Amino acid sequence: MSYVKTVPALTRAGVDINVRRLNTLSNRRAQSTVASTQADQDVTNRESYSSRKSRNASSSPKISIDFDLTQEAYKSKDNLELLRSLVVFKLCSYDLLVDKNKELMDISKFLLGKKAFEQFMKMTFYGQFVAGEDHKSIKSLIQKNRAFGVGSVLDYSVEEDLTQEDAVTKEMDSCVSATEKEGMSKDHREKQYKTHRRGGVTGDRTYFYSDEAKCDQHMETFLKCIKASGGSSVDGFSAIKMTALGRPQFLLQFSEVLVKWKRFFSFLAAQQGRDGMEALEQRLELQPLQEFMTTLGATGDFHGWFTGEKQGSGTIDRLDWNSLIDDRIKISDLLVVPNLETGQLEPLLSKFTEEEEKQMKRMLQRLDVLANHAEEHSVRLMVDAEQTYFQPAISTLTVEMQRIYNRVKPVIFNTYQCYLKEAYDIVTMDVELSRREGWFFGAKLVRGAYMYQERSRAEEIGYEDPINPDYETTNMMYHKCLDYILDEIVLNRNANVMVASHNEDTVKHTLRRMNELGLTPTENKVYFGQLLGMCDQISFPLGQAGFPVYKYVPYGPVNEVIPYLSRRAQENRGFMKGSQRERELLWKELKRRLASGQVFYRPQPEPGL
Ligand SMILES: Cc1cc2nc3c(=O)[nH]c(=O)nc-3n(C[C@H](O)[C@H](O)[C@H](O)COP(=O)(O)OP(=O)(O)OC[C@H]3O[C@@H](n4cnc5c(N)ncnc54)[C@H](O)[C@@H]3O)c2cc1C
């Protein structure tokens, strides 16, 4: 089905809407960056931060939550549900079952037949981790969780179930441009941003590109999901994956350009003796920059920097620098990258075909349609983070949507993966941009789901592992990013964060920091998120204490969410091994109920929640 017929917002938007919006906004951004004003602002902000922090901390009641109170944690579950959780978590603790889960499910389907297999899944894994087949059947679960203080982030979880070989073929096809296929372009692409048969970009992928019609179908599904979120609660969230909305070639190549320009800035900063500083502190002197750009053959006065028209301080920082990238009209023109060895600006590809140019624009349009729809239905849109070779583009496009849609309230939420070595730089830069431009920063903070795939791909293909060296470093990174955002909330009430983690220490750290900073749950600035079927002992006590807490609620037909279930088991292997504590709490509660004669326990929500 063509999206032009089905989505009026798109017709209204017109073909060039996103590109035009990007230009207008990036001009606004360039105008807003005046270094001296910024320095004054920082001093004022620091003063207001310390006074606000001590005022808040002394006047707000301290929050404390006991995550061992099983009666509270499992209030919403009957005994059969507790028993099911116990069985499922126990099964997930066996490595062999997790490793061979796909094969085992295939054998079970063959032996039991489709119907009995579906029934078996509903009584076990599907029942535990998936809410239902469609947006109607999930309503009762959403309402029940809401009655116990827990909201929902709807996540339509149908994924393509392809063999590795099919996945590689589809991926090779969709990540390579026509000119590359024909061998017409000189190859300037880096290993990390290329499709490889060995260690390819396929593992753990949710969506594979078939054609534009399939992307329209995904968009339609996300639109229904947004509508269902709006219909089922007043404070809903809906999750989307950007790789579902277009040809991944664009995300791959745009990511490469962004990363190369970022590296170019670091190279120039090092030349000017400014390496080793935090990302936001690095500034480039304009005069040597102009001289260097001229030697590269890049003439012209970028944003009026060199004539001093827009810049009073004689320096620019990374955010000013980034504005260079989105200030062009033709997307393929963006794909010009500096070559640090030859000192030349060179095209990443010789050219895109007309069709490829259109495909890229359609992806931006689909995003625009979804964001519009979310705004109209008062639903917040959560853009999931994906693999590192797509993520710079995903994150940049999400920020572009935030600049448009988060002017009055946070509608669009970006996701930051703290297992990345550069997570803190990315978070601080985006917060700073939101501060300068005055829009609402919205973030979901996760540790990151693709660690094994990222590591093995980097090793096989031969580039630096983008993931922190160990779990401890990831934990420190998570808390550093979180603390920065919490401070920003105290400083400037425009920031919002979802602490999306099953880690009890991280949740406790957040509560402690909120107490220290005087941030209260009712301000609705700090949310918590866990996946459906996991860590109820964290979600429900938080919800009952009045915190905005959400379950990621996957849904879809049984047979079509099996890849999701399989991925969940794999992704959460580390977590699942640590589910010992959850099993102990479940046992404790089950035994307590049986000992007190509550054999037929029926969940009763407390009035007022
Ligand atoms: C609501 C919600 C939404 C999510 N959305 C996304 C998303 O959009 N994108 C995404 O990528 N993930 C997403 N995730 C998954 C998330 O990134 C984690 O994989 C998962 O939550 C486990 O991390 P944790 O903090 O809950 O638990 P923990 O058990 O404390 O952390 C496990 C995580 O730590 C990291 N880690 C483990 N070992 C090491 C090591 N040796 N070196 C470095 N790091 C290590 C890995 O990221 C691993 O997943 C989401 C999770 C939730 C709860």
Side-chain angles (χ1 to χ4, degrees):
M1 188 191 307
S2 152
Y3 58 82
V4 174
K5 284 188 194 129
T6 54
V7 186
L10 185 67
T11 325
R12 205 176 61 227
V15 170
D16 279 332
I17 183 104
N18 292 79
V19 180
R20 262 192 280 118
R21 277 180 174 175
L22 297 192
N23 290 336
T24 319
L25 282 159
S26 54
N27 288 340
R28 221 179 282 159
R29 175 164 64 182
Q31 283 158 13
S32 72
T33 49
V34 180
S36 54
T37 320
Q38 189 61 43
D40 295 345
Q41 190 61 45
D42 284 348
V43 173
T44 321
N45 283 348
R46 266 196 300 278
E47 281 160 7
S48 70
Y49 170 75
S50 46
S51 58
R52 257 190 250 176
K53 183 182 151 188
S54 47
R55 193 179 56 240
N56 288 349
S58 57
S59 62
S60 317
K62 299 279 174 281
I63 323 143
S64 124
I65 297 177
D66 186 347
F67 293 107
D68 290 324
L69 280 183
T70 57
Q71 206 170 334
E72 287 299 309
Y74 300 117
K75 225 180 202 171
S76 67
K77 301 278 183 293
D78 63 29
N79 292 349
L80 271 178
E81 286 173 301
L82 295 190
L83 207 57
R84 180 185 64 199
S85 301
L86 272 169
V87 171
V88 168
F89 288 146
K90 183 70 195 163
L91 291 175
C92 286
S93 69
Y94 295 114
D95 274 345
L96 183 74
L97 292 186
V98 175
D99 286 337
K100 299 281 170 208
N101 70 80
K102 278 192 106 181
E103 291 85 344
L104 288 168
M105 281 195 267
D106 286 344
I107 295 172
S108 315
K109 205 189 304 183
F110 176 74
L111 293 176
L112 296 172
K114 189 169 174 277
K115 249 193 154 162
F117 173 74
E118 285 189 10
Q119 201 48 42
F120 167 73
M121 290 302 285
K122 281 185 177 168
M123 286 165 65
T124 55
F125 294 91
Y126 181 93
Q128 177 71 22
F129 296 118
V130 183
E133 306 232 16
D134 54 34
H135 60 271
K136 286 196 192 100
S137 62
I138 63 176
K139 244 186 175 161
S140 61
L141 184 118
I142 292 172
Q143 278 161 2
K144 180 173 131 188
N145 282 353
R146 177 40 67 222
F148 286 90
V150 176
S152 300
V153 180
L154 292 200
D155 181 19
Y156 188 74
S157 296
V158 168
E159 300 182 0
E160 288 203 51
D161 192 10
L162 300 176
T163 63
Q164 181 67 11
E165 195 44 41
D166 283 350
V168 169
T169 308
K170 273 201 171 187
E171 201 70 359
M172 293 295 287
D173 242 30
S174 61
C175 287
V176 178
S177 72
T179 48
E180 280 179 306
K181 271 186 211 154
E182 289 161 17
M184 280 160 58
S185 70
K186 192 158 179 278
D187 188 3
H188 296 296
R189 288 177 67 182
E190 284 193 6
K191 289 176 184 169
Q192 187 175 359
Y193 302 96
K194 275 187 181 182
T195 313
H196 293 257
R197 283 202 175 267
R198 277 182 312 120
V201 295
T202 53
D204 286 336
R205 277 286 302 285
T206 311
Y207 294 101
F208 291 90
Y209 180 84
S210 302
D211 51 35
E212 292 297 301
K214 186 88 183 170
C215 295
D216 288 336
Q217 239 178 45
H218 291 149
M219 184 185 71
E220 293 294 335
T221 305
F222 290 147
L223 287 172
K224 279 190 197 141
C225 190
I226 292 170
K227 207 164 167 205
S229 294
S232 54
S233 67
V234 286
D235 60 348
F237 274 106
S238 210
I240 62 164
K241 280 203 166 42
M242 226 180 257
T243 48
L245 295 174
R247 198 180 164 102
Q249 173 206 345
F250 170 49
L251 293 176
L252 209 60
Q253 290 170 350
F254 190 32
S255 291
E256 179 168 8
V257 169
L258 292 165
V259 167
K260 283 192 168 173
W261 275 98
K262 207 156 92 185
R263 253 186 252 151
F264 190 42
F265 184 94
S266 302
F267 167 80
L268 295 171
Q271 267 200 337
Q272 296 191 6
R274 283 155 200 254
D275 41 352
M277 293 176 167
E278 284 204 347
L280 264 178
E281 285 166 14
Q282 283 183 329
R283 301 190 73 86
L284 295 181
E285 298 283 341
L286 283 170
Q287 203 185 333
L289 173 66
Q290 185 179 17
E291 284 160 17
F292 190 75
M293 294 302 269
T294 312
T295 63
L296 292 187
T299 50
D301 184 17
F302 305 106
H303 288 312
W305 290 346
F306 299 143
T307 52
E309 221 178 272
K310 304 242 175 79
Q311 199 72 27
S313 68
T315 63
I316 53 156
D317 68 8
R318 276 183 189 269
L319 292 176
D320 303 315
W321 179 255
N322 290 350
S323 67
L324 259 185
I325 291 184
D326 48 33
D327 204 34
R328 322 258 185 112
I329 293 168
K330 245 188 138 203
I331 298 167
S332 53
D333 285 351
L334 291 177
L335 304 183
V336 177
V337 288
N339 182 328
L340 299 186
E341 277 151 30
T342 63
Q344 299 290 311
L345 287 174
E346 55 194 28
L348 195 64
L349 299 163
S350 53
K351 65 176 164 71
F352 279 133
T353 61
E354 279 289 301
E355 184 50 30
E356 284 166 343
E357 188 79 30
K358 272 191 210 148
Q359 284 168 352
M360 290 176 209
K361 284 191 177 165
R362 277 189 213 139
M363 183 175 196
L364 298 180
Q365 286 164 346
R366 290 185 188 106
L367 281 173
D368 196 51
V369 169
L370 290 173
N372 250 307
H373 206 66
E375 192 181 43
E376 276 166 20
H377 286 80
S378 297
V379 169
R380 288 160 293 180
L381 200 61
M382 202 139 242
V383 183
D384 283 351
E386 304 186 53
Q387 286 86 348
T388 44
Y389 33 87
F390 297 130
Q391 191 52 30
I394 292 174
S395 188
T396 301
L397 294 174
T398 307
V399 167
E400 291 306 330
M401 288 200 287
Q402 291 181 315
R403 296 166 83 197
I404 296 163
Y405 290 96
N406 287 11
R407 296 255 148 213
V408 182
K409 57 182 182 181
V411 176
I412 311 290
F413 279 65
N414 209 346
T415 301
Y416 298 90
Q417 295 160 310
C418 296
Y419 64 12
L420 297 181
K421 289 173 181 161
E422 55 174 14
Y424 184 72
D425 284 350
I426 304 172
V427 168
T428 52
M429 299 261 291
D430 288 355
V431 167
E432 173 64 18
L433 185 63
S434 71
R435 210 185 280 156
R436 284 188 194 177
E437 296 182 346
W439 44 266
F440 284 77
F441 177 79
K444 173 178 65 163
L445 219 54
V446 299
R447 281 185 169 73
Y450 308 101
M451 182 176 76
Y452 295 106
Q453 186 208 351
E454 294 279 6
R455 287 225 160 115
S456 62
R457 185 173 190 268
E459 196 185 325
E460 270 211 56
I461 299 172
Y463 58 88
E464 190 194 327
D465 182 0
I467 310 287
N468 288 319
D470 49 45
Y471 179 57
E472 237 349 276
T473 315
T474 294
N475 288 347
M476 284 188 317
M477 178 66 89
Y478 195 103
H479 292 177
K480 192 174 162 192
C481 293
L482 176 62
D483 289 350
Y484 186 86
I485 302 173
L486 292 176
D487 283 353
E488 176 64 15
I489 295 174
V490 176
L491 250 174
N492 161 11
R493 296 277 151 171
N494 285 356
N496 298 264
V497 64
M498 175 179 279
V499 178
S501 173
H502 302 120
N503 185 314
E504 205 173 300
D505 289 339
T506 292
V507 172
K508 285 180 176 162
H509 172 92
T510 315
L511 298 181
R512 197 167 46 245
R513 279 303 289 155
M514 287 179 74
N515 275 335
E516 284 164 8
L517 296 170
L519 291 170
T520 60
T522 47
E523 282 175 284
N524 265 321
K525 292 284 170 195
V526 184
Y527 316 93
F528 293 88
Q530 286 83 40
L531 303 177
L532 185 76
M534 289 168 73
C535 285
D536 288 346
Q537 82 275 13
I538 293 181
S539 316
F540 285 87
L542 281 171
Q544 277 148 33
F547 283 90
V549 56
Y550 294 83
K551 288 287 194 189
Y552 243 58
V553 175
Y555 67 100
V558 181
N559 276 301
E560 293 178 45
V561 298
I562 282 177
Y564 168 83
L565 286 175
S566 165
R567 209 163 57 88
R568 199 83 295 158
Q570 301 275 3
E571 258 174 39
N572 292 295
R573 177 194 298 264
F575 168 78
M576 286 299 189
K577 275 192 181 157
S579 68
Q580 175 74 18
R581 175 169 154 70
E582 192 161 0
R583 291 209 306 274
E584 280 167 12
L585 293 176
L586 284 161
W587 258 126
K588 188 173 150 195
E589 177 60 7
L590 202 56
K591 282 192 287 187
R592 189 198 65 77
R593 285 190 195 166
L594 296 180
S596 61
Q598 294 176 288
V599 181
F600 300 105
Y601 173 84
R602 291 188 75 80
Q604 292 293 340
E606 263 173 41
L609 270 177

